[in-house]
Amino acid sequence: MRYLGLIAVIVVAASVGWLSGGNNSCCLRAADGAAPATQPATSQTAALPTLMDFGAKTCIPCKRMAPILEELSKELAGKLVVTFVDVSVAGNMPQARSHGIKLIPTQIFVDAAGKELWRHEGFLSKEDLLAKWKELGYEFSGK
């Protein structure tokens, strides 16, 4: 009887198409929700590098990332665009699929021209995020 529950979990995970791969990431799954929560690019933000974070408000590693993303957004305003895409909102699933998101959180580093520079699946500390940007040739100083 105990195995029936395990089999059901595996079948559900497989039917969604995503299986988790570690302690620092969550499965991506479709859910009902409202319209996308992302901000459209403006002429002011279009010429800036962007950190895109795909996650969900119920995902533990994503919850740990949220205050880091908020800090970076405030500290680096005018230098870096930080966006969060909540994949648990059904309207955001096409965007997640178009970016090939398999696990959450996933961070995608994008240059000012819109070219993807690097991506990471799982939790990243503020220090690790800034170190990666520096490695990619972007050195941001806070306020």
Side-chain angles (χ1 to χ4, degrees):
M1 197 56 137
R2 162 173 85 144
Y3 294 109
L4 267 168
L6 178 59
I7 291 170
V9 169
I10 292 170
V11 168
V12 169
S15 70
V16 173
W18 311 105
L19 294 174
S20 179
N23 293 335
N24 285 333
S25 58
C26 296
C27 294
L28 177 64
R29 57 192 164 88
D32 293 323
T38 58
Q39 299 173 357
T42 64
S43 59
Q44 182 181 7
T45 62
L48 296 174
T50 301
L51 171 61
M52 298 175 68
D53 183 73
F54 290 82
K57 295 182 181 182
T58 57
C59 159
I60 300 301
C62 302
K63 287 180 183 181
R64 291 178 52 211
M65 290 287 309
I68 295 168
L69 297 171
E70 189 173 330
E71 276 181 45
L72 288 174
S73 180
K74 289 177 183 175
E75 291 175 13
L76 302 176
K79 299 175 187 174
L80 177 71
V81 176
V82 179
T83 62
F84 173 75
V85 179
D86 188 342
V87 300
S88 68
V89 174
N92 290 335
M93 289 304 292
Q95 186 178 9
R97 278 191 289 277
S98 74
H99 282 89
I101 304 303
K102 296 177 183 158
L103 298 171
I104 58 172
T106 293
Q107 303 82 35
I108 301 177
F109 293 59
V110 180
D111 71 9
K115 178 184 172 197
E116 181 176 323
L117 301 172
W118 186 73
R119 72 171 50 208
H120 176 265
E121 294 174 336
F123 175 83
L124 271 178
S125 69
K126 180 179 178 181
E127 294 75 22
D128 290 340
L129 286 165
L130 291 172
K132 189 60 180 182
W133 276 113
K134 185 175 182 179
E135 181 183 318
L136 293 169
Y138 294 86
E139 190 160 356
F140 303 112
S141 58
K143 289 186 175 181

